[in-house]
Amino acid sequence: MLKRIALLLILLMVLPGLARAAETVKVGVLPFTVYGKEDLNYLRKGIQEMLTGQFLDHGVETATKADIRQALGARELVEVSEQIARKFGKALNVDYIIYGSLTKIGRSISLDARIVDTLGLKRTGSVFVQGEGLENLAALIKDLAVKATFKITGRQKLSKIIISGNKRIESDAIKTVLKSKEGDIFSKTKISDDLKSIYRMNYFEDVKVEVEDSEEGKIVHFTVDEKPSIRQIEFVGVRRVEEKDLREVLGYSLYSIQDTKKIVDSVENIKEVYREKGYYNAEVIYKIENIGPKMVGIRYGIKERGRVYIKRIDFKGNENVNRKKLLDLMETKEKGFFTWLTDAGILKRDDLKEDISKILTYYYNHGYIKVQVADPFVEVEEDEMVVTIQINEGPQYKVGKVSFTGDLIEPEEKLFSLIEIDKQAFFNREIIRKDMTEINSLYSSHGYAFALVSPLIREHEDTLSVDITYKITKNQLVYIERIEITGNTKTRDKVIRRQFKINEGDLFSKEKLKKSAMNLNRLGYFKDIKFSQTKGSADNKQNVKIKVEEQPTGAFSIGAGYSSYNKVFGIFSVSQNNLFGKGQKLVLEGSVGDKITEYSMSFTEPWLFDIPLSAGISIYDRTQKYTDYDKDAIGGIIGLGYPIMEYVGLSGRYKYEDAVIENIDEDASVTLETMEGRWKTSSITVALRRDTRNRFFNPSSGSDNSITVEYAGGFLGGTSYFNKYVLNSGWFFPLPWGEHVFFARGKFGFLEGRAGGKVPIFENFVLGGMNSLRGFKWGSIGPLDPATNTVLGGEKMVLFNFEYIFPLIKDAGLMGVVFFDTGNAYRSDENIDFSSLRKSAGAGIRFFSPLGPLRLEWGYVLDPKPGEQTSSWEFSIGSFF
């Protein structure tokens, strides 16, 4: 009896091992023979390797490539018999040997495989697959491996997977998470894993699996029990916030499957919304209610309570920086008188985190290189809170020795002229960053696009000073390989390229790229311009990509105004500043008013003969009713211009005008009576202009300076003989607080007559109006006729304009302006008396509206004379297409 029990125990221990050993099968795959018209021998080992890989995927152990290579030796098997196969099987110590052939006839291919039992205990089996095209060979090999595995292991095919019980979740969506696929070998391990994967989808309360046999193989049934769907979300007690703000942070939506974890997490998300608005004591609970078969509703009960404001912000350890300065740095504020309007005193975690960074930056920029600022401690006391910020300032370090090391391409004197840290009393991290940028820009302008500037800091605790060494590694010179332009659907490439200060093949220069971008901006053709760089075909080459966004360059502009001189007047123009995408400009203009009527047409070619020689022609017809006479003129102008250096252009023009002065009042001045009749003006004007404005409309930096000399009569003919000189200088200064700009302009003029002719009265200088002295009537400022008190104009003129320009609505591009104007005109026998300059001040708005540039300004005369108007409104507006 004891012997039998012992034997039974031994069998129980040994049989499972024997069973596992019986399940373990090892095969060896020999190279396949290939038949076909073309040479396909390269597939012999490829089929062998792919088939071996498929067996491994199905859990069948295989002989390694090294084992098979060693068994074959130098032999090239062309034909394999069962006897040869068994011989190799014994040498490889495998259970089965797989060998076979591939046959290709046209596009048809077939794979035949023989399965040989090494010990000869089982009859030799065979498997066969067929298909079209070598591109499908991998799929055929996979099918062959499945069939062979069935033969070798006795395992069954997974013929079908059935999903049931699902109403909202698609069966295909469930099948995507399964490892088991129809047509694969059935595997209990995979089925177990699939069961877990379906659970992990978190859509089902229960999942069951059943397996049944069929003639085609195993059929696997997955039966799921779906979780309820959320059909209702309700908030109770919400008054202080918008429900839509709460729904956005839930983490789930209406009609989604109930996920308890997401619902629990949503409570904290809702509390965070309340905390952002100051309701730190808000309570949130939830309840899940069944409202139908597999349908639930989620109800949130919220007790908002009152806001919790920051009563006090305390700093500890700030011995050298006072509390007020630190508070000024912070976005987070204490509760104050205007809290109801500004939300000051509401704690916002993101803002507080940013405030800590600002405090650290301030200390770093004032010499405290070892400062430490702890995370704020927030203490809530009923309806108030106290924020405490602990600071460990450490000592303040002065700037010690500043030097340069590494690859210096310029003398140290030049490098010192670029940096600012040596001029600082204390260490300043922000200044060091700016210095690095300046040095990088210098090296970049010499072609070293990848120059590296590293500040080496050496502290001296005994003297509390820091030595700073800028280590410069220039790296290799970099060249522009390719310049690519995108986004221009109208403007031609060459119109854009001719604005570049750098070309393909040139040394890389960030400064030249910056100037190129400025030139493109100044054209006014583009709404946005973006430069980017990518690596070229070699390490020392860079590609530059310019992406432009075009804007309308055609315009239909209208303007209107009112003055006691011209009454209501209108101005209109039709223009195209980028004609046919060639950069040419065509303008038709007209002005119609009670006193002035003018029509003109002009055409400008900015690059004549594909060189930067601009050429223009214009014709006009102008009628003007002055107080004591009328002027009717027609004329034409031909002009040329050429840039003689960066931002500096030289231009010249020839003008011919045929004018008639008529309808002179009977009581007009004697001087005016002598002017009646026809005046022919033939003149040449030469102008030298330097324009560095960053843009033409609302510039924020740069200047516009010009000198103009006009010569009329003499060898040119005509009846008007004069020389006219005008000097104009306008400067834009960006102010440190955002988009604020200060503008200052000075304009001076001088007119002299010459023997042989006269100077017509309409060439004299007069001031007044939107473009000179705002607030005064147009043309009302200048020397008067002593007898009739009418404005005759002068031979000398001086004008100053000062403006403070600031954003009113930054995102909308609405700008405000406050101005002060002063100026006057004088006779040739008068000295310019600055104490006699007329003065005005005022304000206005400027806006690049959908209808075009809009300008509305009101001027007030600061020194009105008897009978003179004290203020005036003027405006203009345009429409683009």
Side-chain angles (χ1 to χ4, degrees), residues 471-482:
K471 182 182 179 181
I472 306 171
T473 305
K474 64 182 182 182
N475 292 316
Q476 60 186 336
L477 288 168
V478 177
Y479 295 84
I480 299 295
E481 181 175 23
R482 186 163 51 89

Side-chain angles (χ1 to χ4, degrees), residues 617-644:
I617 183 170
S618 66
I619 56 175
Y620 61 89
D621 184 340
R622 178 184 175 92
T623 300
Q624 183 167 355
K625 297 179 181 180
Y626 291 87
T627 304
D628 300 305
Y629 69 95
D630 296 343
K631 176 194 172 186
D632 190 2
I634 59 172
I637 299 172
I638 298 175
L640 296 171
Y642 192 83
I644 57 176

